[in-house]
Amino acid sequence: MSTITSTKELTYLRILFFTFGLGIMSWVPRFPEVKDALKLTNGGFGSLISTGSLGSLISLLTVGHIVHRIGVKRVLYAASFFLMATLIILTSVESSLIFFFANIAFGAAISAFHIAINAQGFNYQDRTGKFIITQMSGLWSAGALITAFISGFLVDRVSLETHVGVLVLVIFLIQSVVISSLTPELLKANQEIDIDYKLKELFVGFSFDRLISLGLICAIFLEFALSDWATIYTKEEIGIKSGINTLPFILFTMWMIFGRFTVHYLLPRFTLERLAVHASLLAGTSFIISVFLARSVFATNQDIAFLVICIGFSLAGLGSSFLGPTFMTAANVRSIHPASVVIGHVGVANIILAFILKWVVAWTAQATSLTIGFLVPGILLLTVPFFAKALKSV
């Protein structure tokens, strides 16, 4: 089988990462429509949407082993197909039961695609000596950002079913062509890979690094919460009904991308531990103050309340941007286990903690309001300095 050049392979990987973010985040800005179609309360919708974590956990425990057994190509094809199929179901059904099962499958497909494409990315790094994973994460975020723009424009213009259905079908076709083109370099069955999530390895000698696991979830839970609730919050709490209600989430993502690509400029002057402390305090404080001011001080002025939220979300995105990757790096440094096992251990702990916290936010919002529910991720960010000493080893 003929090979492809290193440049072409990198281009194909970039397309896969970009379209991955473009597809799976396409429906997030239109969550208010999904919630309305299901006729659920905030608590019910938040609980239902969190079930995707169950599928992610299943993939985390099994897909790395499957990749090792059958190769990256088949896993990527299957994951791409199920991402398309489940998103079409999730954005067109009115049955909570069907949504429940489809969302679990969706979460499993996301993690399967993530594991397979990162395995290929690490393999490319090893073969070429080029550090590309951070850049690939940036491209994923860029895809998520662009799809937020698209969603905001299409609200009230194109139905949710048509928007997501057409988009994910086009993405599936593009990914199928790219995966086929990448075939000569894709990891084959039983080929050694760095990310190998074997079930036995995850449970034999399972370790829970308290500083890393708790610090990581405190650092990144705001991103989870805003993915689920940002557009619903601006619609229900601030009163922004049109497609512009996606703007705070767009700004949060934009500043997160900016932070991830520029934080290295600060490293010669500050340690990661110090940066993490100040950045988490900036993110948590600005986020909490913005949601408090928007709901109380400026409650009678919708425009100013919306402006305050946009500023607060922007600062929160900038401050929290590099915290997650930094804690993951520290996890690898602190552990005696191979990197693949470390990622598995941290991933399992992170999914379980995120699942619990999503329920806390959902039912806090149901019992009180989303403004009060948003205090949970904001307060968690303010606790990151208590775990920042874990970053001394980075």
Side-chain angles (χ1 to χ4, degrees):
M1 183 179 293
S2 61
T3 59
I4 58 177
T5 66
S6 173
T7 301
K8 282 188 176 180
E9 183 181 358
L10 181 58
T11 299
Y12 291 144
L13 286 173
R14 286 170 174 164
I15 293 172
L16 288 179
F17 273 92
F18 176 79
T19 54
F20 185 32
L22 188 71
I24 67 172
M25 297 298 289
S26 60
W27 69 317
V28 171
R30 302 190 70 166
F31 269 4
E33 296 166 74
V34 179
K35 174 173 166 281
D36 290 344
L38 294 170
K39 297 179 176 60
L40 293 174
T41 63
N42 283 335
F45 180 72
S47 300
L48 189 59
I49 204 70
S50 68
T51 56
S53 300
L54 301 177
S56 295
L57 184 61
I58 293 170
S59 281
L60 182 66
L61 294 171
T62 59
V63 170
H65 184 59
I66 294 172
V67 167
H68 187 63
R69 290 293 182 88
I70 69 175
V72 164
K73 180 179 179 179
R74 291 181 181 179
V75 174
L76 283 178
Y77 271 134
S80 180
F81 172 80
F82 279 103
L83 284 173
M84 174 192 66
T86 52
L87 261 177
I88 289 174
I89 295 171
L90 289 169
T91 53
S92 60
V93 300
E94 298 181 357
S95 166
S96 296
L97 182 61
I98 296 175
F99 188 97
F100 170 77
F101 289 109
N103 197 43
I104 292 176
F106 179 60
I110 289 176
S111 290
F113 198 95
H114 167 77
I115 292 169
I117 195 59
N118 276 282
Q120 190 63 37
F122 280 118
N123 178 261
Y124 178 90
Q125 274 192 175
D126 293 340
R127 287 186 284 109
T128 64
K130 299 177 181 178
F131 186 71
I132 65 163
I133 294 300
T134 301
Q135 179 192 125
M136 296 300 106
S137 297
L139 285 167
W140 184 94
S141 297
L145 177 62
I146 289 176
T147 208
F149 275 114
I150 295 172
S151 296
F153 176 76
L154 294 180
V155 169
D156 298 329
R157 292 182 174 89
V158 178
S159 70
L160 175 62
E161 296 90 338
T162 302
H163 161 209
V164 173
V166 172
L167 180 64
V168 297
L169 178 59
V170 171
I171 289 174
F172 172 69
L173 294 175
I174 292 173
Q175 289 181 342
S176 296
V177 172
V178 171
I179 294 168
S180 178
S181 300
L182 266 174
T183 297
E185 299 299 337
L186 290 177
L187 288 162
K188 309 301 187 294
N190 299 314
Q191 187 173 341
E192 186 65 28
I193 63 174
D194 184 47
I195 301 180
D196 189 8
Y197 299 86
K198 293 183 179 179
L199 186 61
K200 179 181 177 181
E201 291 175 338
L202 281 170
F203 285 102
V204 176
F206 187 93
S207 61
F208 179 77
D209 190 323
R210 180 179 59 86
L211 285 177
I212 292 295
S213 295
L214 296 180
L216 178 63
I217 192 62
C218 290
I220 68 174
F221 186 66
L222 178 63
E223 186 176 359
F224 290 160
L226 291 187
S227 293
D228 290 347
W229 294 107
T231 51
I232 295 176
Y233 169 77
T234 51
K235 178 181 178 181
E236 297 185 357
E237 301 279 306
I238 308 301
I240 306 298
K241 305 296 184 182
S242 65
I244 199 175
N245 69 347
T246 62
L247 183 59
F249 180 71
I250 289 172
L251 290 172
F252 174 83
T253 307
M254 285 179 62
W255 283 101
M256 178 165 280
I257 294 171
F258 177 80
R260 286 175 177 171
F261 278 107
T262 59
V263 67
H264 64 278
Y265 291 116
L266 299 176
L267 293 180
R269 299 180 57 189
F270 306 99
T271 64
L272 275 173
E273 179 186 7
R274 185 179 176 188
L275 281 175
V277 169
H278 291 295
S280 60
L281 292 177
L282 169 67
T285 302
S286 60
F287 182 75
I288 290 174
I289 290 176
S290 67
V291 296
F292 171 76
L293 290 177
R295 187 57 192 251
S296 56
V297 180
F298 302 113
T300 58
N301 192 321
Q302 185 185 88
D303 293 336
I304 295 184
F306 188 62
L307 176 62
V308 168
I309 287 299
C310 287
I311 295 172
F313 279 34
S314 297
L315 292 174
L318 178 64
S320 62
S321 59
F322 67 94
L323 297 178
T326 301
F327 273 99
M328 283 302 303
T329 301
N332 283 326
V333 174
R334 287 163 59 90
S335 178
I336 61 173
H337 297 290
S340 59
V341 177
V342 173
I343 294 172
H345 288 178
V346 175
V348 170
N350 191 54
I351 287 174
I352 294 173
L353 291 171
F355 181 80
I356 294 171
L357 287 170
K358 283 188 175 188
W359 274 62
V360 171
V361 171
W363 289 103
T364 300
Q366 177 62 30
T368 55
S369 67
L370 267 174
T371 297
I372 301 301
F374 270 174
L375 291 179
V376 175
I379 292 171
L380 288 176
L381 271 170
L382 296 180
T383 67
V384 169
F386 293 104
F387 308 104
K389 62 182 180 181
L391 306 179
K392 288 182 178 180
S393 55
V394 179

